Amino acid sequence: MQSFLSPTQHADLYDAENTWTAAEDFFLAFANEQPASRVLDLGCGTGRLTVALAGAGHTVTGLDPHPGSLDAARAKPGADAVHWIDGTSAALPEEAAFDTVIMSSHVAQAIADERDWAETLRDVRGALVPGGRLVFDSRDPQARAWERWTPANTRSHLTLPDGTALQLWIDAAEREKGLVGITEHRFLADGNREFEDALLAFRSESALRRDLAAAGFTVGRVLGGWAGQPVGEGDGELIFVAHA
């Protein structure tokens, strides 16, 4: 379907839907355990966390495959302190260049193809110093979050910075085991409508442990929530901390 929102409006919508939460507090605090370190924010989106990492004194690289998102990131205050890369993990340096790699906002689930996921982990492993840290979040399939992603539960109204008003909602369906298709519907005040489809991978804890081991990582800990809860007792998350 034709898109009626401009790239700038799409970036503004992303920022309106994805505000700072306990997840960003967690990732920032995790990075700060090693002050003034070299940090890669893989799948940085519009740079909300990326710029905060740089502001905390780290040497930060933000990588994302969507040019519109990076354009919005580069326009944020403090963005000049970040090195931005337009691309996927294949664009990372082959030598060990980072102390910490962060994949937040469930970026790991957006890499739905298993071959791409394996290549991403191998690329990250190659870009980390020995003992370097990888931290990422992935929704626990045991919590079946997609069953709550219905129009009734997700309907909201937003107004973008340029005054554009829209109503949006999400529906989701499990296409096959471990893969969930989601559609975000957008109804603009002028009567135009558009939608955006995405496919998310819901990998189990055991599958993620296997994938990390195959890429050369050692899993340090797995959490179920942003306050450090065990898996199954937190926020329906699988928060992995692994070491190269």
Side-chain angles (χ1 to χ4, degrees), residues 21 23-24 26-27 102-110 117 134-140 201 203 208 223 226 236-241:
T21 67
E24 283 73 27
F26 176 91
F27 287 115
I102 292 172
M103 290 191 288
S104 65
S105 300
H106 306 106
V107 165
Q109 292 186 255
W117 173 236
L134 167 64
V135 59
F136 66 90
D137 54 355
S138 187
R139 298 177 186 90
D140 187 349
R203 301 179 178 96
L208 289 168
L223 305 174
W226 304 112
E237 298 285 345
L238 295 173
I239 305 165
F240 272 79
V241 177

Side-chain angles (χ1 to χ4, degrees), residues 88-210:
T88 66
S89 63
L92 293 175
E94 294 183 2
E95 71 277 7
F98 302 104
D99 304 299
T100 299
V101 174
I102 292 172
M103 290 191 288
S104 65
S105 300
H106 306 106
V107 165
Q109 292 186 255
I111 308 173
D113 182 85
E114 291 305 315
R115 183 181 303 175
D116 292 343
W117 173 236
E119 290 177 354
T120 298
L121 291 177
R122 288 196 297 268
D123 292 339
V124 168
R125 173 63 182 84
L128 277 167
V129 299
R133 307 180 300 166
L134 167 64
V135 59
F136 66 90
D137 54 355
S138 187
R139 298 177 186 90
D140 187 349
Q142 295 294 323
R144 303 183 68 83
W146 64 87
E147 294 181 348
R148 298 185 291 278
W149 296 344
T150 66
N153 289 337
T154 62
R155 193 177 304 271
S156 63
H157 296 79
L158 293 173
T159 302
L160 303 182
D162 66 358
T164 299
L166 67 162
Q167 180 183 177
L168 53 93
W169 62 90
I170 292 173
D171 55 42
E174 189 174 16
R175 295 188 179 178
E176 55 185 273
K177 187 170 179 59
L179 289 176
V180 173
I182 65 171
T183 301
E184 180 172 276
H185 302 262
R186 300 160 186 158
F187 186 85
L188 282 67
D190 61 9
N192 287 316
R193 304 180 70 169
E194 67 177 55
F195 61 84
E196 182 174 349
D197 293 321
L199 186 65
L200 298 181
F202 279 75
R203 301 179 178 96
S204 66
E205 179 182 352
S206 60
L208 289 168
R209 285 181 178 274
R210 179 198 63 216

Side-chain angles (χ1 to χ4, degrees), residues 18-128:
N18 298 275
T19 57
W20 191 278
T21 67
E24 283 73 27
D25 286 333
F26 176 91
F27 287 115
L28 182 58
F30 181 85
N32 288 341
E33 291 173 2
Q34 294 183 356
S37 58
R38 296 168 297 172
V39 180
L40 169 67
D41 186 4
L42 194 157
C44 62
T46 59
R48 178 180 62 257
L49 176 62
T50 328
V51 172
L53 289 163
H58 302 284
T59 300
V60 181
T61 297
L63 181 146
D64 200 274
H66 300 102
S69 294
L70 285 185
D71 287 344
R74 291 186 178 103
K76 282 183 164 58
D80 290 346
V82 177
H83 175 55
W84 303 99
I85 299 177
D86 181 352
T88 66
S89 63
L92 293 175
E94 294 183 2
E95 71 277 7
F98 302 104
D99 304 299
T100 299
V101 174
I102 292 172
M103 290 191 288
S104 65
S105 300
H106 306 106
V107 165
Q109 292 186 255
I111 308 173
D113 182 85
E114 291 305 315
R115 183 181 303 175
D116 292 343
W117 173 236
E119 290 177 354
T120 298
L121 291 177
R122 288 196 297 268
D123 292 339
V124 168
R125 173 63 182 84
L128 277 167

Side-chain angles (χ1 to χ4, degrees), residues 215-241:
F217 286 95
T218 299
V219 174
R221 53 192 167 122
V222 185
L223 305 174
W226 304 112
Q229 303 98 318
V231 172
E233 297 181 17
D235 305 307
E237 298 285 345
L238 295 173
I239 305 165
F240 272 79
V241 177

